[in-house]
């Protein structure tokens, strides 16, 4: 079981970060004393990219992407019932499937749609480069927040197969339910704004919140290219 480390002054507060970049700066300061140089930051697109780039720049740690995505309902692309990685790691929210009556065929169709999006992102964001060598390293997986936790847990499972020395999750904000899912499988979760209240939304931690487009992600990836894996 890993350890949850959060800022007690920010517990259960809302609208505490100006935007993802400012959250990344504060998160870098929060984790800097716990990170060694044998580390790599893996950011979850899209929202994790500006956060992860700030961490990479401030901590002088290499940066890359980990391509995972929630699987969404055909009738609601915002709501998810699980998550999949580009390498096929997959977690299903059984409760959501039972509640909505999803058939196996719908699940497979939506999973395949998510994989195709991930392949597109691998092409435009990473230029189809090989995944970085992380065996024996401290891997810091970054996103802009944890709501259900399924996407991050899928990322953790993908990383775990590659035998890192340690797995650390670093996020500006997180929910209690997500922490309970992820903590047994990682060494630590660093979360500035831990919230154990219901309902929970990642967006509520940010004063300036918007969905990032592919163009937004490419803008952040071009900034500070020297920090990236070549």
């Amino acid at each position: 079981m890993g350890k949850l480390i959060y800022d007690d002054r920010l517990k259960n507060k809302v609208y505490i970060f100006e935007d993802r970049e400012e959250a990344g700066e504060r998160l870098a300061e929060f984790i800097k004393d716990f990170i060694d140089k044998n580390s790599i930051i893996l950011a979850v697109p899209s929202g994790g990219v500006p956060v992860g780039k700030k961490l990479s720049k401030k901590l002088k740690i290499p940066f890359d992407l980990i391509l995972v995505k929630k699987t969404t309902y055909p009738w609601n692309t915002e709501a998810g019932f699980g998550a999949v990685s580009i390498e096929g790691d997959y977690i299903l929210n059984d409760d959501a499937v039972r509640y909505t009556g999803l058939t196996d065929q719908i699940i497979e169709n939506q999973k395949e749609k998510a994989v195709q999006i991930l392949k597109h992102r691998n092409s435009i964001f990473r230029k189809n480069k090989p995944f970085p060598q992380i065996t024996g390293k401290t891997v810091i997986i970054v996103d802009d927040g944890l709501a259900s936790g399924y996407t991050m847990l899928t990322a953790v499972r993908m990383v775990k197969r590659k035998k890192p020395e340690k797995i650390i999750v670093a996020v500006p904000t997180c929910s209690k339910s997500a922490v309970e899912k992820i903590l047994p499988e990682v060494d630590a979760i660093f979360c500035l704004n831990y919230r154990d209240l219901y309902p929970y939304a990642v967006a509520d931690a940010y004063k300036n919140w918007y969905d990032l487009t592919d163009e937004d992600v490419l803008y952040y990836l071009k900034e500070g290219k020297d920090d990236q894996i070549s």
Side-chain angles (χ1 to χ4, degrees):
M1 174 70 76
K3 184 176 182 181
L4 170 65
I5 303 166
Y6 64 90
D7 189 334
D8 194 57
R9 296 168 299 178
L10 302 181
K11 184 178 179 182
N12 289 328
K13 292 188 176 181
V14 294
Y15 305 120
I16 54 177
F17 307 116
E18 287 296 327
D19 52 25
R20 292 178 177 94
E21 291 185 70
E22 194 242 352
E25 291 206 16
R26 292 168 67 173
L27 187 59
E29 187 68 23
F30 189 59
I31 71 172
K32 67 179 183 180
D33 293 334
F34 299 89
I35 302 304
D36 58 63
K37 292 302 178 183
N38 185 37
S39 300
I40 180 171
I41 290 167
L42 298 178
V44 177
S46 296
V49 174
V51 181
K53 286 296 286 185
K54 282 293 181 182
L55 263 66
S56 175
K57 184 176 180 180
K58 292 286 185 180
L59 302 176
K60 296 180 170 53
I61 294 173
F63 170 93
D64 209 319
L65 303 180
I66 183 161
L67 295 172
V68 291
K69 187 183 183 306
K70 66 182 175 184
T71 48
T72 59
Y73 298 102
W75 57 85
N76 185 351
T77 57
E78 295 300 315
F81 59 87
V84 63
S85 81
I86 195 169
E87 296 185 356
D89 308 88
Y90 185 57
I91 297 176
L92 190 66
N93 181 341
D94 294 321
D95 291 338
V97 169
R98 281 193 296 269
Y99 181 76
T100 55
L102 291 177
T103 65
D104 290 344
Q105 187 61 56
I106 291 174
I107 291 169
E108 284 304 310
N109 288 347
Q110 295 306 106
K111 179 180 172 183
E112 182 56 30
K113 285 181 182 178
V115 169
Q116 291 307 313
I117 291 171
L118 292 174
K119 288 180 178 178
H120 174 69
R121 289 178 174 177
N122 197 41
S123 174
I124 65 169
F125 295 161
R126 301 189 66 258
K127 312 302 182 188
N128 292 316
K129 293 182 300 182
F131 193 74
Q133 174 58 250
I134 62 174
T135 303
K137 290 183 178 291
T138 295
V139 177
I140 306 161
I141 312 177
V142 178
D143 206 347
D144 55 10
L146 303 176
S148 71
Y150 284 100
T151 302
M152 180 59 75
L153 188 56
T154 303
V156 168
R157 297 269 176 90
M158 177 176 161
V159 166
K160 189 176 284 190
R161 288 191 291 102
K162 302 175 187 297
K163 309 297 183 186
E165 176 68 25
K166 288 191 292 186
I167 301 176
I168 292 171
V169 170
V171 289
T173 182
C174 63
S175 71
K176 181 176 185 245
S177 60
V179 167
E180 289 173 345
K181 285 188 190 78
I182 297 164
L183 206 55
E185 302 203 29
V186 300
D187 294 280
I189 296 176
F190 287 86
C191 173
L192 286 166
N193 170 229
Y194 173 67
R195 280 184 267 153
D196 57 9
L197 302 178
Y198 183 83
Y200 171 91
V202 170
D204 289 346
Y206 295 88
K207 297 174 185 175
N208 181 20
W209 173 266
Y210 59 95
D211 292 331
L212 294 176
T213 65
D214 287 352
E215 289 73 23
D216 292 327
V217 173
L218 288 169
Y219 166 79
Y220 286 111
L221 292 176
K222 287 173 184 174
E223 281 197 325
K225 271 192 171 182
D226 292 342
D227 297 329
Q228 290 183 249
I229 300 294
S230 58

